[in-house]
Structure formats: C-alpha cells, structure tokens
C-alpha cells in the first residue's frame, strides 16, 4: 500500500487501537474474555512496549503491532538476542493489501537497528493468514518452543534469523 504510514500510536488513539486489535482477532475465531481484555488494553502496551499503528491516507488506523523489547513486560518468549513482536492486527476490511507485511517489515527493521540477530513471535494455530506472512519473510517454526496458555490454548512459535 503506497498510502500507508506506520508510526507510533498517539495517546488519543489508544482506545481505537484496542478496539481494532480485538476486532481483528475475533475475525480469526473466538478468544477468551481474559485475552480480549488484554488485547483491548492498548494503553498498557503503549507504556510497556513499542506500539505501532498503520494508518491510511485519511489517517484511519488500519493495523497495529506491538514490539516487545528484550526483557520487557510484554516479552513472553524472547531470549537474549531476540526481539519479540505480538498482537499483529489488521482491520478485517483492510486485509490482503500488504498491511501485515508492512508491519512485520517494521519489526525486522527495528531488530536490525537494535543489533538483534533474531525476531520471534507466538501465534495461535488458527491464524493461518498471519502464518503465511511470516513464512514469506523466512520465519521458521520452532515447535520446541511452543507453549500453552491456560486452560488449553497452544501457542506456536516462529523465529527469523537476520543476516
């Protein structure tokens, strides 16, 4: 998308970012009430991580991604030398236009700017559209790092080695 801008979320946009994140996740299937509350809480993400938004030519938020810095509160699986991203969300009405790829590219660029050699993420098994994006970038599955969120949600792990 040539009319796309990716930038840090502004404080006045945080409620809209949370709503978009929930809407995008629900488009891929049901989510628990507990996780819905976490996804909706963009304010906490903006304080504890780097929260980016993708906006169109009219400055409408059409996507978002959270970059969890090493050792940060939102880093669930990152090890030394790894940058983790979470909560990639694209408005269901704006999908299939390259927004997800643009957001992932920003994360990869951020990892390189920090001198980190690897990017990691966890994903729900049903988010196959997102998995296709990751695989196009060269992310590979790491089943040995898959983990479980109570009561019974398995999250699968992908990693991309840079250069």
């Amino acid at each position: 998308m040539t009319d796309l801008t990716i930038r840090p979320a502004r404080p006045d946009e945080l409620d809209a970012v949370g709503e978009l994140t929930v809407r995008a996740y629900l488009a891929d299937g049901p989510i628990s009430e507990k996780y819905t509350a976490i996804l909706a809480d963009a304010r906490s993400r903006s304080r504890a991580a780097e929260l980016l938004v993708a906006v169109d030519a009219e400055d409408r938020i059409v996507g978002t991604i959270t970059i969890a810095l090493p050792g940060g509160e939102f880093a669930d699986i990152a090890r030394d030398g790894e940058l983790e991203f979470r909560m990639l969300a694209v408005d269901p009405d704006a999908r299939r236009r390259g927004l997800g790829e643009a957001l992932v590219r920003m994360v990869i660029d951020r990892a390189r700017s920090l001198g980190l050699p690897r990017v990691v993420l966890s994903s729900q098994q049903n988010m196959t559209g997102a998995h296709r994006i990751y695989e196009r970038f060269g992310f590979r599955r790491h089943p040995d790092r898959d983990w479980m969120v109570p009561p019974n949600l398995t999250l699968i792990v992908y990693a991309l080695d840079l250069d």
Side-chain angles (χ1 to χ4, degrees):
M1 278 187 78
T2 57
D3 61 345
L4 180 71
T5 301
I6 299 175
R7 59 170 171 72
R10 297 186 309 243
D12 64 312
E13 297 172 322
L14 296 176
D15 290 338
V17 171
E19 290 168 12
L20 171 98
T21 307
V22 169
R23 192 168 61 254
Y25 271 66
L26 285 172
D28 289 322
I31 51 177
S32 71
E33 284 185 36
K34 181 179 179 183
Y35 198 51
T36 298
I38 292 168
L39 293 172
D41 188 7
R43 201 161 303 285
S44 291
R45 288 199 303 283
S46 73
R47 287 191 299 264
E50 294 180 8
L51 181 60
L52 303 179
V53 293
V55 296
D56 65 13
E58 287 78 41
D59 208 34
R60 287 182 302 227
I61 299 169
V62 291
T64 182
I65 197 163
T66 300
I67 301 174
L69 297 173
E73 176 184 337
F74 276 85
D76 283 333
I77 61 163
R79 298 175 180 166
D80 287 342
E82 296 178 339
L83 184 68
E84 182 174 348
F85 73 88
R86 300 186 53 197
M87 301 177 196
L88 170 64
V90 174
D91 186 314
D93 294 331
R95 290 184 176 178
R96 306 189 67 77
R97 298 182 195 167
L99 295 167
E101 289 181 11
L103 287 161
V104 171
R105 189 173 296 109
M106 289 295 291
V107 174
I108 293 168
D109 290 347
R110 182 69 174 123
R112 285 191 171 115
S113 76
L114 294 169
L116 297 171
R118 182 180 265 195
V119 178
V120 295
L121 67 109
S122 300
S123 181
Q124 295 179 34
Q125 292 175 318
N126 64 325
M127 296 188 158
T128 56
H131 302 166
R132 285 191 294 274
I133 292 170
Y134 308 145
E135 291 164 3
R136 279 196 295 271
F137 276 102
F139 282 84
R140 297 289 172 245
R141 282 276 295 114
H142 283 262
D144 57 309
R145 292 179 68 177
D146 291 354
W147 56 293
M148 182 77 82
V149 177
N152 61 355
L153 176 64
T154 299
L155 295 177
I156 60 175
V157 174
Y158 282 86
L160 173 67
D161 292 315
L162 303 176
D163 299 328

